[in-house]
Amino acid sequence: MFPTHFSGATWMCVASVLLFSCGSQPHLPAGSIQGLIPAPQSLQVGQGTYVCEGSLGLAWPEGWGQEAQVVQSWLSQAGIEASVNTAKPGLTFELDPSMEGLESYRMRVEPSGMRISSATHAGLFRGWITLRKTLPVACEIGCADGFELPCVSIEDAPILEHRGLLLDGCRHFQGVDFVLKQIDLLALHGMNVLHWHLTEDQGWRLDVPGLPKLREVAAWRTESDGSQHGGFYTVKEIQRVVDYAAARHIEVIPEIEMPGHSSAALAAYPELGCTGDSIGVPHRWGVFKDIYCAGNDDTFAFLEKVMDHVVSVFPGPRIHIGGDEAPKVRWSNCPKCQRRMKEEGLANEEELQRWFIGRMGDHLATKGKTIIGWDEILEGGLPEGAAVQSWRGMEGAKEAVHLGADVIVSPTSHCYLDYPLRSTDLEEAYQFEPLPDSLAHGPGRILGGEGNMWTEHAPQEMVESKVYPRLIALAEVFWRGHSHAGATGAYVDFLSRLDLHYLRLDALDVAYGLESPPFELSTSASSEGELVALIQAKGRGVMGRGQWTGNGSVLASGEPFVVNGPGRAEMEVGRRGTWTGTSASYALDGHSAVYRPLILEYEPSPWYTGGGREALVDGRLGSNDFRDGAWQARQGGEMVAEVDLGSELEVSAVETGVYLYQDAWIFMPKSVVWEGSVDGRDWRELASWSGSNVLAPNDHQERVAIQGVMGPALGPVRHVRMRVNGAGPCPDWHAAAGSDSWLFLDELVVRTKEAS
Ligand code: ACM
Ligand code: ZN
């Protein structure tokens, strides 16, 4: 049974019959070399076709056992009868020691058969994957009658030796089958590393014999609604994942975080923290003060026990030890940590972290393992022999290369797959340059790159929509390099191959997401001063429809509509002709100050402009995400804005939205005062709000807090001024005590009797 998208490939089959007349079977699905991702380094189309009529003889070199099983099992799932036939093979895998490179391969398809050559087993496997991607998409489901392939010659090798995905199994747990599927998908895209993030504040996922509280306590958290979330991988399950990956020449690098991001372990074993206090497994996100005590030898006994188990189940040469985002406040106040610093002659807590990681690195070295750490491990001195994963931009990569270290790059700018598309769309991922010239000449080395999938906001069922297609762009960049970078033509070419590749992903049930944000909202004022909004569907194959809740009117993407008063545009996303059920919602407010002349007495943060200098009167309100582009912000100080209504109006209400998220240093203001003036010189207070008592140490919630004041008669005025006084420095109880807090506003809303 073939899927309906098959007709295009059938046409190609007919075309090849016409061109080559070499005895093709018109009923057979035809493969294609058009949609290969990553694109091979060199590809030459040959003469004629290879025809497989439902059975295939195989030949492979001795020792190619697990991989051969993967090949055979794929063929058998496709319904093709595959058996060893060294005398007359249709598909030959051969070792060719004369070839160079650990994963380079050659693939030849000729009328007489298909042949993959490499100096290594890994290269043979990469070649097989390329061959699989040239086979008809239908074969992913079943092509029992056979297939035909155009003759082709491919020479290929990756630019970077380390090409991976970080999968965070901690913030949300994923089942083993899901992990195995991701390994298959990594292999499909020429990737060779699964960086498996297994320990975190919010959950410890690795069962370690002899440490039962890890699976009993550290693996589970209670969510704010009282439900339980968690899970862990048994020794057997870990082995299954590792073996499955190994058969596909994918290294699983476990990440065991230290000294920070360790709350779950400390919840299970509180004596390993500086205070010894019992803490629960947290259910909120962020960075936590409680970290392993560096002065307590029991910490190292625990971590060595964990690592001894880790090395027994993960055979790869490298272990990731985290090292990121470890606040030092507990260490500064801990007599044991301070004694350790004195004994070891360490000048500060950063050096204590280096000592901590160095000590664990030494232990792992005795087991023949090297360590990788996030770029924070450069602070206080890089431990001997450690590789660095640069995530806070490429600065860490630069420093580490200059120090002679091995480096993996995954900067937030291009490689964070958990980020929304408005931060990193497909094209931005594709334009990532993992090997800039400035880092190409050592003494250290860029080994490769990773796409990072953190899962705070992504339960398992959402992960694929975040990872794909952006990881596919990164996979091409990591494999092919950017020999043709910068040329937009390269991206256009990638997209045309991706369109074909999507058909394969459909056959494999990959729930890939969009390539870019589905809509673009713009607002303006009509000649009568009304707010006019326009929501346009953006991106290839994307369509939109929706409703304006203000009056229930139906919205078609691309048609402007007038907004009177507050309401929401609720939009639905369609892709390639199908409504997806994915929605987007925009809060708009056609109030009396929209697009009236505005004076700002402050400079908005360049990161949070809200869309520009008119953001406070653009009619667009902020959502529950302070990064949505609608919020305007400032760190420290006041925000004062003044609007000219154009004529004297009877003001009935003044409002603004305020964002509140104390964990992100975003606080309620101390006060908001609205003033009015008839002439712009004499001002009187219209209304005020005081929130001096709203700072709450245990408030971790993220939300919009609307401040509004209605009055029977606030006006008449022509000018309205809003003074918002920020909370000042973060209070003593806060993780960022003493640093300037942030103030976030979305709009200066003025309602008048005339408008209502
Ligand atoms: C990281 O994103 N904290 C490595
Ligand atoms: Zn301590």
Side-chain angles (χ1 to χ4, degrees), residues 319-336:
I319 311 283
H320 204 300
I321 49 71
D324 60 320
E325 299 181 318
K328 305 298 188 300
V329 51
R330 291 287 189 244
W331 286 3
S332 302
N333 295 297
C334 171
K336 283 178 282 191

Side-chain angles (χ1 to χ4, degrees), residues 577-604:
T578 306
W579 295 106
T580 60
T582 309
S583 57
S585 176
Y586 301 94
L588 298 167
D589 195 336
H591 57 86
S592 295
V594 291
Y595 286 103
R596 302 302 314 168
L598 182 74
I599 299 167
L600 296 186
E601 294 181 13
Y602 59 92
E603 220 24 71

Side-chain angles (χ1 to χ4, degrees), residues 37 56 76 107 112 119 138 153 162 188 196 201 258 298 348 355 406 426 603 605 609 618 709 719:
I37 301 180
L56 192 60
S76 106
M107 176 184 127
S112 58
S153 171
H162 179 119
L188 184 72
W196 205 7
D201 293 310
M258 64 190 73
D298 290 347
N348 52 40
W355 175 86
D406 283 347
L426 181 66
E603 220 24 71
S605 156
T609 64
D618 65 0
V709 179
H719 304 271

Side-chain angles (χ1 to χ4, degrees), residues 166 171 197 200 255 257 261 287 320 324-325 374-376 389 391-392 410 412 416 418-419 452 454:
L166 174 146
R171 271 57 173 265
H197 189 76
E200 250 309 333
E255 180 176 350
E257 277 264 22
H261 286 293
V287 170
H320 204 300
D324 60 320
E325 299 181 318
W374 297 107
D375 56 48
E376 282 93 334
Q389 182 161 7
W391 71 282
R392 298 174 300 179
S410 59
T412 52
Y416 268 48
D418 58 319
Y419 280 21
N452 291 355
W454 303 103

